[in-house]
């Protein structure tokens, strides 16, 4: 279960949220990761040190280092103690113009450095209504597979996040999500990836109320959680739901 704080938080508020997450009792039975904004990564590492909760980042540069003002490299994230990084979130794709090629470059760089990439894929509402959802997701996966290769791709965590469900309160139904997750796993398998090893997370308005219904589905291995990850009780309940299953 991965919490994406997006561009939220401040030192004081983070301190109490992180302290509550630190004491979550289920974190030894489920992989739990929080991804704060870059400036708060060290704070999260400090407060969570010695706990079972890991820290990740929300993005990394597609460049290794050098004259790229404003960028944050993967090796800097490693230096700060991050072990995970979200790549290709739909907000990065739509607001910051990240193409499939940029996303693939970032995934490859993360893998090369030993950071675990969480690759976000997902279709817009218009694409779903046009019957293109699977083709869109397949193209997003193929863009990464072409650069990374099937052998390394089993180390990627895939997050299926239908764009129409992110931050909207409109979750894909568990059946809709399962159909896409099964499609993703089958496509990875067809592409020569050890797909049974790949964790496929669902993201899009996951809450404490709907998490269990999603997690019981065979191809839904966890969740990428935005809004609900900012509230300790909600995030803890989602983690507990995953641990229970
Ligand atoms: C996200 O940001 O990845 C996300 C899924 O957000 P939310 O849970 O708020 O829909």
């Amino acid at each position: 279960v991965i919490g994406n704080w997006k561009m939220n938080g401040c030192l004081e508020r983070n301190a109490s949220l992180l302290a509550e997450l630190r004491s979550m009792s289920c974190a030894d039975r489920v992989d739990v990761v929080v991804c704060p904004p870059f400036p708060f990564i060290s704070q999260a590492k400090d407060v969570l040190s010695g706990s079972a909760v890991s820290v990740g980042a929300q993005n990394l540069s597609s460049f290794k280092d050098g004259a790229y003002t404003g960028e944050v490299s993967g090796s800097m994230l490693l230096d700060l103690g991050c072990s995970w990084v979200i790549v290709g979130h739909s907000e990065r794709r739509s607001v910051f113009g990240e193409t499939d090629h940029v996303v693939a470059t970032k995934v490859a760089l993360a893998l090369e450095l030993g950071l675990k990439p969480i690759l976000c894929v997902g279709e817009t509402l218009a694409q779903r209504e046009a019957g293109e959802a699977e083709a869109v997701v397949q193209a997003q996966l193929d863009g990464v597979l072409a650069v990374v290769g099937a052998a390394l791709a089993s180390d990627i965590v895939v997050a299926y996040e239908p764009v129409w469900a992110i931050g909207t309160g409109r979750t894909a139904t568990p059946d809709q999500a399962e159909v896409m997750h099964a499609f993703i796993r089958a496509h990875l398998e067809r592409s020569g990836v050890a797909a049974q090893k790949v964790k496929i997370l669902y993201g899009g308005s996951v809450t404490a109320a709907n998490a269990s219904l999603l997690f019981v589905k065979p191809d839904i291995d966890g969740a990428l959680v935005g809004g609900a990850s900012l509230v300790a009780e909600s995030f803890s309940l989602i983690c507990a739901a995953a641990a229970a299953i």
Side-chain angles (χ1 to χ4, degrees):
V1 178
I2 301 180
N4 172 16
W5 290 8
K6 311 197 188 199
M7 198 173 71
N8 292 294
C10 64
L11 289 172
E12 195 184 343
R13 218 167 347 121
N14 302 345
S16 52
L17 173 55
L18 290 164
E20 289 192 62
L21 298 184
R22 203 195 138 74
S23 58
M24 251 187 336
S25 58
C26 63
D28 53 349
R29 280 172 291 135
V30 56
D31 293 325
V32 180
V33 183
V34 290
C35 300
F38 294 133
F40 302 135
I41 286 172
S42 290
Q43 179 192 26
K45 280 299 294 178
D46 287 349
V47 179
L48 296 171
S49 126
S51 81
V53 181
S54 305
V55 177
Q58 298 172 19
N59 184 26
L60 81 166
S61 177
S62 55
F63 299 100
K64 281 193 172 162
D65 53 45
Y68 301 103
T69 302
E71 289 287 270
V72 174
S73 73
S75 54
M76 292 172 190
L77 299 178
L78 277 177
D79 214 7
L80 291 173
C82 280
S83 36
W84 300 78
V85 63
I86 298 171
V87 183
H89 190 280
S90 68
E91 288 149 16
R92 302 285 333 156
R93 293 177 190 261
S94 66
V95 184
F96 301 98
E98 285 192 13
T99 59
D100 284 347
H101 178 70
V102 168
V103 171
T105 307
K106 290 183 175 191
V107 171
L109 201 48
L111 288 170
E112 188 186 321
L113 290 165
L115 278 166
K116 296 185 200 81
I118 303 143
L119 166 66
C120 300
V121 295
E123 80 288 355
T124 63
L125 187 57
Q127 289 165 333
R128 172 160 285 260
E129 286 175 349
E132 295 166 356
E134 290 184 351
V136 167
V137 168
Q138 178 171 324
Q140 289 170 337
L141 291 170
D142 286 346
V144 171
L145 290 174
V147 173
V148 165
L152 290 184
S154 61
D155 291 330
I156 297 171
V157 168
V158 177
Y160 169 56
E161 299 206 306
V163 177
W164 46 273
I166 298 177
T168 58
R170 182 178 168 186
T171 326
T173 65
D175 286 340
Q176 273 175 324
E178 171 59 20
V179 166
M180 185 60 90
H181 281 229
F183 170 79
I184 291 170
R185 205 178 300 282
H187 183 65
L188 292 174
E189 189 91 58
R190 271 197 303 279
S191 309
V193 180
Q196 294 308 320
K197 231 184 99 185
V198 176
K199 297 269 188 288
I200 307 176
L201 313 182
Y202 170 78
S205 300
V206 175
T207 63
N210 60 27
S212 298
L213 302 172
L214 293 157
F215 293 154
V216 289
K217 296 293 180 187
D219 288 296
I220 301 182
D221 301 317
L224 179 53
V225 184
S229 72
L230 297 169
V231 180
E233 192 192 358
S234 308
F235 191 62
S236 302
L237 285 170
I238 295 168
C239 295
I245 286 159

